[in-house]
Amino acid sequence: MVKPWLLRFHRWLTLVFAVPLAVIILTGLILSVEPAAQIGAAPPGTLSADRMVDLLARHDPEG
């Protein structure tokens, strides 16, 4: 009589602890891909401050 209850309790307890573990794994995967994404970005110094101001003024005149 106790064994079915313990099995059910174990199943729900496992699900409760699996959710935070899954979140940690998913965020770790995202952070592990971040360096590769930064390498594919524009190299530093390709966009000057003056060019940025010009682009902002052209695309968002109201500021």
Side-chain angles (χ1 to χ4, degrees):
M1 184 153 159
V2 174
K3 187 173 181 178
W5 183 84
L6 285 175
L7 288 172
R8 187 177 306 150
F9 178 71
H10 182 267
R11 182 184 314 134
W12 285 105
L13 190 64
T14 303
L15 288 173
V16 167
F17 283 109
V19 171
L21 185 61
V23 170
I24 290 171
I25 290 171
L26 287 174
T27 56
L29 286 172
I30 291 169
L31 290 174
S32 70
V33 174
E34 185 182 10
Q38 288 179 352
I39 290 172
T46 58
L47 184 63
S48 66
D50 295 330
R51 178 76 176 133
M52 178 63 81
V53 170
D54 292 339
L55 289 172
L56 286 172
R58 184 171 15 146
H59 293 288
D60 189 18
E62 287 97 29

